[in-house]
Structures are given as C-alpha cells and as structure tokens.
C-alpha cells in the first residue's frame, strides 16, 4: 500500500465475487475465535462485528440491510453467545446507522469512528447482558475489550477501503 | 425493493429476538448447529495449535539443556530428603488399605475416557467455553468432567462427532462443590468470568479463608470425582474470596475427559396414559 494507489483502469473482481467479498470478510472475522489459544479473560475484539460496521460505514451498498441478521447468526454459532444475540444486535446496528445516515448527509472519518464506537459498546454490553449474570455485565474486561475493538477501527477501515478498491463497483 | 430489504432487516431482528428467547431453553437443535460449526473450525485450530506447540518447544528445549545439571543436583538432594517420608507414607497407605477393607468401602475409580487437547475458546464472548478436539466417536458425552494434569478444567456441555464444547471453571454459570483439602471446610467454586473462581462458604458464617488454601472436589452431585484439585486461594478473606484455578486451561497441555463419577440414572418412562385412550406398545 504505497505509491500511487488509484488505478482507474485496473481489472476489478467479477460481480458475483465482488458481492460475496464483504460477506466473506465478516464471516472470516467471526471465525477468528478459532485462534488456537484458550483465553482466560475475554479480551479478543469481535472482529466479525468490526468488519460488518466498517463495511456498512465505508461502503454502504456493500451489504444489504437484511445481511446483518444471517451474518450475526453465523457469528453466534462460533462465538459462544446464545444463538440470536448477534442476529438481533447486528440488525439493530444496521437500522440505527440507517437512521443516523438519514440525518447526517455527509460524514467524515471521525464521525464514522464515533458511530462505530457507540455501536461496538452497545453491542458488546448488550451481548454480555444476554450471556452472563447481571453483576458481571460491566466489568474491567468488558471495558478493555470495547477499548481494544474501538482502537482497531482505523486499521479495519484501512483494510476494508483497500479491499473495496480491489473489488471495484459491482454492475 | 429498498422497502422490501428493510422489511427483511426488521424481520431479521425479530428472528434474533425469537431465537434468543428459545435459547433460554437450550434446545438440542442449537447445540447441533453449534457443533456443526465447531466441526469446521476445530480441525483448523488443532493444526495451528500443533504448530504453536512446535515453536514453543524450541526455547523450552534450550532452557532445559542449560538447567538440567543444576536441576539434577537439586533432585538428588530432594530424593534423599523424601526417602524417610516415602517409607512412612507407604506404611500409612498400607494401614489405610487394611482399614478400608475392614470397613468394606467400595471405592470408585475415576475412569479416563480419552486424553485430548483444548484447541480454541470463545475469546470474544463473556461466556467461557473451550473446544476439545475429541467428540462422540471417542466416547465423549455431555456431562463428563474434564481435568488437566494439575487439576479440574471444567465439564463437557455439547458434543459433536469429533469435537466437544467444554464449560470452563471460570464461566459465570459454572458451579463446582468443593472442600478445603486441609480440614474439609465445604464451599462452592463459582466462575467469575475473568479466569478466576469465587469460593463461597456454604455452611459456617464467618468462615476464614487464608492465602494458599487448596480446595478439591467433594464428589457431591456425582459429576466430578472427589479429590481433584480445583483452586488455590489468592486473597485472605471471609465467606467469599477469589481463587486461582490450578489447571491453566491452555492449548499446550493435555486435557483428560473422565467418566462421570456417579452417572445419572436414565429418566424413567412416564406413567401417564396416552391421550385418546390408545394402547402403549
């Protein structure tokens, strides 16, 4: 990623694969939990959610509004959360971002980051509310996990922007 | 078209709500779906964990090479010191055996079903589950306790063909009945979700816990075999203290799946006559 990156006549992906690419990256993000380590403290950021939010904020037409529910259900299968948790929360994130988008015509990166921060914090805390006893919903580990996920958003934005440029515009 | 996709999005959210409500009852279909997904991810984790162990063994081998002489001297001294102790322990063990026969006590041995490895965990969720790379084909069934070489790790909650999901001790929904090794003070070990467990006294008010107290399983409830080390107290306190589990749940060491200590009897057939007056086969 150096030098002149904008190449308007570079060959783009065929439309089918261009549409599948955002789905594949979100599912790949969810599957990072297969990383071979048994964590004693849940600090791993939710990479699936991070990918989903980045695609939604940077390339609004990459994922359809209904895509959040099936992607969330796939995430539930591998994340250990009760089934339906991410299916619900990810859909709500999409609908919430749509509401914000109607009011804000143009957004800059800082606003994207703020929206992502809110969405990540709300999703992780609500997810813990579904999964663990109430006394443990907001603790140090949850806040640290949110902070790590929020701090990774610029990197994820960079990655998605690079993929989106490779992908080209589906016809 | 746009309207339809929003209808679908809201329908997706409602589907999530419905599934969450159904999840409360933990239907076997959901376990099956999760195990199907785990059957795909677990082989990848197993391979990657093997590579990780291979890399980790290099510094270990180097340090072993350099410290082995010094360790040898120390071990010789320890053997000499322990000789007298071993002799005494032998005579005590013999006496114990004799007394037990007198009492006609029947001991149940904890039978090992399979030795496997934990390959990955739910590192992004508040629940503490780990995946084990052995399943129904190896004889693993839900409810079986899992221990490491040093102590208890947790118990199996869902099984797939070659993969099983283990509820770790530190999960907030895990409760293990334990007693103090020193004097038998009864307590329960409840997971805290941060890799540690809470030890709560169950009988005496104002029970004192001191640093280093070792707690082992009691065998109550029939799942966990008795006298498996569980946790060691970290901070002195009364009634409820944090403790560190003895067996670190990681991918470097083996995990032994044990047969349930006293298996639950199969549910008896209900004695209710069928509706409509049909005959039972």
């Amino acid at each position: 990623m150096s030098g002149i990156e904008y190449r308007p006549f570079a060959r783009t992906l065929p439309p089918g694969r261009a549409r599948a690419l955002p789905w594949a990256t979100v599912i790949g993000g969810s599957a990072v939990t297969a990383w071979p380590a048994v964590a004693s403290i849940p600090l791993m950021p939710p990479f699936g959610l991070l990918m989903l939010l980045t695609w939604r904020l940077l390339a609004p037409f990459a994922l359809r509004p209904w895509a959040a529910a099936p992607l969330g259900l796939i995430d539930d299968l591998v994340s250990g959360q009760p089934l339906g948790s991410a299916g619900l929360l990810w859909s709500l994130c999409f609908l919430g971002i749509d509401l914000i988008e109607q009011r804000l015509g143009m957004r800059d990166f800082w606003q994207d980051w703020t929206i992502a921060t809110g969405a990540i914090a709300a999703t992780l805390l609500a997810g813990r509310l579904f999964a663990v006893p109430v006394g443990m919903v907001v603790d140090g580990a949850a806040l640290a996990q949110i902070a790590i996920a929020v701090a990774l958003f610029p990197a994820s934005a960079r990655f998605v922007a690079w993929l989106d440029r490779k992908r080209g515009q589906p016809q | 078209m746009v309207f339809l996709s929003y209808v679908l999005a809201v329908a997706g959210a409602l589907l999530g709500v419905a599934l969450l409500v159904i999840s409360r009852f933990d239907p076997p279909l959901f376990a099956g779906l999760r195990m199907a997904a785990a059957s795909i991810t677990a082989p990848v984790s197993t391979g990657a964990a093997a590579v990780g162990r291979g890399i980790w063994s290099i510094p270990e081998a180097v340090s072993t090479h350099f410290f082995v002489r010094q360790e040898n001297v120390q071990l010789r001294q320890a053997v000499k010191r322990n000789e007298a102790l071993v002799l005494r322990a032998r005579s005590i063990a013999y006496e114990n055996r004799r007394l037990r026969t007198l009492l006609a006590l029947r001991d149940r041995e904890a039978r090992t079903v399979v030795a496997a490895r934990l390959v990955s965990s739910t590192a992004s969720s508040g629940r503490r589950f780990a995946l084990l790379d052995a399943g129904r084909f190896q004889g693993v069934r839900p409810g079986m306790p899992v221990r490491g070489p040093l102590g208890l790790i947790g118990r199996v909650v869902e099984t797939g063909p070659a993969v099983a999901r283990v509820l770790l001790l530190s999960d907030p929904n895990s409760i293990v009945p334990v007693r103090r090794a020193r004097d038998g003070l009864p307590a329960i070990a409840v997971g805290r979700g941060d890799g540690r467990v809470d030890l709560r006294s169950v009988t005496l008010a104002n029970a004192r816990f001191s640093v280093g107290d070792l707690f082992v399983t009691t065998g109550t409830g029939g799942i966990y075999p008795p006298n498996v080390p569980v946790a060691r107290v970290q901070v002195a306190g009364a009634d409820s203290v944090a403790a560190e589990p003895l067996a670190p749940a990681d991918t470097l060491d083996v995990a032994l799946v044990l047969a349930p200590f006293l298996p639950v009897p199969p549910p008896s057939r209900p004695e209710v006559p069928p509706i409509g007056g049909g005959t039972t086969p």
Side-chain angles (χ1 to χ4, degrees):
Chain A
M1 282 197 261
S2 61
I4 298 168
E5 289 177 28
Y6 180 64
R7 273 172 292 173
F9 300 111
R11 188 192 293 256
T12 57
L13 287 179
R17 256 189 275 170
R19 273 203 203 97
L21 189 66
W23 284 69
T25 51
V26 175
I27 294 172
S30 299
V32 173
T33 50
W35 180 259
V38 180
S40 55
I41 306 174
L43 284 181
M44 184 188 274
F47 286 106
L49 173 67
L50 209 53
M51 281 289 126
L52 182 91
L53 289 174
T54 320
W55 276 111
R56 177 66 189 80
L57 290 168
L58 261 64
F61 297 108
L63 291 167
R64 304 256 188 261
W66 52 265
L71 286 170
L73 292 180
I74 293 171
D75 183 73
D76 283 330
L77 288 180
V78 293
S79 74
Q81 291 283 110
L83 201 68
S85 151
L88 167 65
L89 294 171
W90 291 16
S91 298
L92 291 183
C93 280
F94 262 41
L95 294 174
I97 291 174
D98 272 325
L99 286 181
I100 295 171
E101 211 159 55
Q102 282 174 7
R103 281 155 182 76
L104 284 173
M106 301 289 282
R107 296 190 310 268
D108 64 0
F109 178 71
W110 292 98
Q111 282 161 329
D112 277 349
W113 201 353
T114 314
I115 294 168
T117 304
I120 288 169
T123 306
L124 285 180
L125 290 180
R128 285 175 79 93
L129 191 67
F130 295 146
V132 303
V134 177
M136 294 176 190
V137 170
V138 183
D139 60 5
L143 296 179
Q145 190 190 15
I146 292 170
I148 293 170
V150 168
L152 278 176
F153 182 77
S156 138
R158 197 66 198 249
F159 176 63
V160 165
W162 177 70
L163 276 183
D164 198 32
R165 204 164 46 234
K166 286 266 176 238
R167 190 173 74 111
Q169 291 302 315
Q171 307 302 314
Chain B
M1 189 61 205
V2 173
F3 178 70
L4 183 67
S5 66
Y6 279 100
V7 171
L8 282 174
V10 174
L14 293 177
L15 178 71
V17 175
L19 288 177
L20 258 181
V21 172
I22 301 172
S23 285
R24 282 278 154 210
F25 306 106
D26 206 13
L29 173 66
F30 287 7
L33 288 173
R34 270 197 294 267
M35 284 295 104
S39 299
I40 300 169
T41 62
V44 181
S45 308
T46 307
V51 173
R53 273 194 302 277
I55 294 169
W56 183 247
S57 69
I58 296 171
E60 218 180 345
V62 171
S63 69
T64 311
H65 177 77
F66 283 110
F67 290 108
V68 80
R69 277 183 64 87
Q70 189 189 346
E71 206 179 1
N72 204 7
V73 174
Q74 281 172 1
L75 289 177
R76 273 173 200 285
Q77 287 169 352
V79 165
K80 212 170 274 175
R81 272 200 310 275
N82 291 343
E83 237 166 35
L85 214 61
V86 168
L87 282 177
R88 235 178 74 207
R90 269 202 195 126
S91 65
I92 291 172
Y94 170 71
E95 196 181 353
N96 192 8
R97 223 171 27 242
R98 207 166 51 84
L99 291 173
R100 271 175 182 275
T101 0
L102 282 179
L103 287 168
L105 268 180
R106 235 181 303 164
D107 276 341
R108 297 185 64 94
E109 288 290 316
R111 192 170 57 82
T112 303
V113 175
V114 68
R117 284 179 197 279
L118 300 176
V119 291
S120 68
S121 74
T122 56
S124 62
S125 163
R127 301 299 302 273
R128 313 294 335 124
F129 291 114
L131 281 186
L132 187 80
D133 64 349
R136 273 201 301 277
F137 289 160
Q138 285 86 4
V140 180
R141 297 283 179 279
M144 288 183 168
V146 180
R147 63 165 296 177
L150 297 174
L152 196 66
I153 289 176
R155 70 185 161 91
V156 176
V157 283
E158 290 167 2
T159 53
V163 63
R165 185 179 286 259
V166 177
L167 183 78
L168 299 177
L169 278 187
S170 60
D171 185 271
N173 288 353
S174 152
I175 297 178
V176 182
V178 292
R179 63 183 172 79
R180 185 148 62 192
R182 175 156 57 82
D183 60 357
L185 173 81
I188 52 171
V190 185
R192 291 165 53 105
D194 63 351
R196 291 185 294 168
V197 293
D198 257 339
L199 288 172
R200 296 181 193 155
S201 154
V202 288
T203 50
L204 300 168
N206 198 19
R208 303 293 308 174
F209 296 97
S210 39
V211 178
D213 277 358
L214 177 71
F215 279 77
V216 297
T217 50
T218 58
T220 315
I223 292 177
Y224 304 102
N227 298 322
V228 179
V230 174
R232 197 184 284 284
V233 176
Q234 282 183 317
V235 197
D239 292 336
S240 177
V241 291
E244 182 81 22
L246 284 164
D250 59 26
T251 57
L252 295 174
D253 226 330
V254 290
L256 302 174
V257 182
L258 308 176
F261 178 55
L262 287 170
V264 183
S268 55
R269 295 282 297 272
E271 297 294 318
V272 183
I275 299 164
T279 50
T280 42

